[in-house]
Coordinates of all heavy atoms in Angstrom, one line a residue:
A401 N -10.4 -6.7 -1.9 CA -11.4 -6.1 -2.9 C -10.9 -4.7 -3.3 O -11.5 -3.7 -3.1 CB -12.8 -6.0 -2.3
P402 N -9.7 -4.7 -3.9 CA -9.0 -3.4 -4.1 C -9.7 -2.5 -5.2 O -10.3 -3.1 -6.1 CB -7.6 -3.7 -4.6 CG -7.8 -5.0 -5.3 CD -8.9 -5.8 -4.5
I403 N -9.6 -1.2 -5.0 CA -10.1 -0.3 -6.0 C -8.9 0.5 -6.6 O -8.3 1.3 -6.0 CB -11.1 0.7 -5.4 CG1 -12.3 0.0 -4.8 CG2 -11.5 1.8 -6.4 CD1 -13.3 0.8 -4.1
K404 N -8.5 0.0 -7.8 CA -7.3 0.6 -8.4 C -7.7 1.4 -9.7 O -7.2 2.5 -10.0 CB -6.4 -0.5 -8.9 CG -5.7 -1.3 -7.8 CD -4.4 -0.7 -7.4 CE -3.7 -1.6 -6.4 NZ -2.8 -0.7 -5.5
N405 N -8.6 0.8 -10.5 CA -9.0 1.3 -11.8 C -10.4 1.8 -11.8 O -11.3 1.3 -11.0 CB -8.8 0.2 -12.9 CG -7.5 -0.4 -12.8 OD1 -6.5 0.3 -12.9 ND2 -7.4 -1.8 -12.6
A406 N -10.7 2.7 -12.7 CA -12.1 3.2 -12.8 C -13.1 2.1 -13.3 O -14.2 2.1 -12.9 CB -12.1 4.4 -13.7
E407 N -12.6 1.3 -14.2 CA -13.4 0.2 -14.7 C -12.6 -1.1 -14.8 O -11.4 -1.1 -14.8 CB -13.9 0.6 -16.1 CG -15.0 1.6 -16.1 CD -15.3 2.2 -17.4 OE1 -14.7 1.7 -18.4 OE2 -16.2 3.1 -17.5
G408 N -13.3 -2.2 -15.1 CA -12.6 -3.5 -15.3 C -12.2 -4.1 -14.0 O -12.8 -4.0 -13.0
T409 N -11.0 -4.8 -14.1 CA -10.5 -5.5 -12.9 C -10.1 -4.5 -11.8 O -9.7 -3.3 -12.1 CB -9.2 -6.3 -13.2 OG1 -8.3 -5.4 -13.9 CG2 -9.4 -7.5 -14.0
D410 N -10.2 -4.9 -10.6 CA -9.9 -4.0 -9.4 C -10.5 -2.7 -9.5 O -9.9 -1.6 -9.3 CB -8.4 -3.9 -9.3 CG -7.7 -5.3 -9.0 OD1 -8.4 -6.2 -8.6 OD2 -6.5 -5.4 -9.3
S411 N -11.8 -2.7 -9.8 CA -12.6 -1.4 -10.0 C -13.6 -1.3 -8.9 O -13.8 -2.2 -8.1 CB -13.2 -1.4 -11.3 OG -14.2 -2.4 -11.4
P412 N -14.3 -0.1 -8.7 CA -15.3 0.0 -7.7 C -16.4 -1.1 -7.9 O -16.9 -1.7 -6.9 CB -15.9 1.4 -8.0 CG -14.8 2.1 -8.6 CD -14.0 1.2 -9.4
Q413 N -16.7 -1.5 -9.2 CA -17.7 -2.5 -9.4 C -17.2 -3.9 -8.9 O -18.0 -4.5 -8.1 CB -17.9 -2.6 -10.9 CG -18.8 -3.7 -11.4 CD -20.3 -3.5 -10.9 OE1 -20.7 -2.4 -10.6 NE2 -21.0 -4.6 -10.8
T414 N -16.0 -4.3 -9.2 CA -15.6 -5.6 -8.7 C -15.4 -5.6 -7.2 O -15.7 -6.6 -6.5 CB -14.2 -6.0 -9.3 OG1 -13.2 -5.0 -9.1 CG2 -14.3 -6.2 -10.8
S415 N -15.1 -4.4 -6.6 CA -14.9 -4.3 -5.2 C -16.3 -4.5 -4.5 O -16.4 -5.3 -3.5 CB -14.3 -3.0 -4.8 OG -14.3 -2.9 -3.4
R416 N -17.3 -3.9 -5.1 CA -18.7 -4.0 -4.5 C -19.1 -5.5 -4.6 O -19.8 -6.0 -3.7 CB -19.7 -3.1 -5.2 CG -19.4 -1.6 -4.9 CD -20.6 -0.8 -5.4 NE -20.6 -0.7 -6.9 CZ -20.1 0.4 -7.6 NH1 -19.5 1.4 -7.0 NH2 -20.1 0.4 -8.9

Side-chain angles (χ1 to χ4, degrees):
I403 297 175
K404 295 270 186 205
N405 306 306
E407 284 172 1
T409 49
D410 298 341
S411 64
Q413 173 67 20
T414 56
S415 178
R416 288 191 289 263

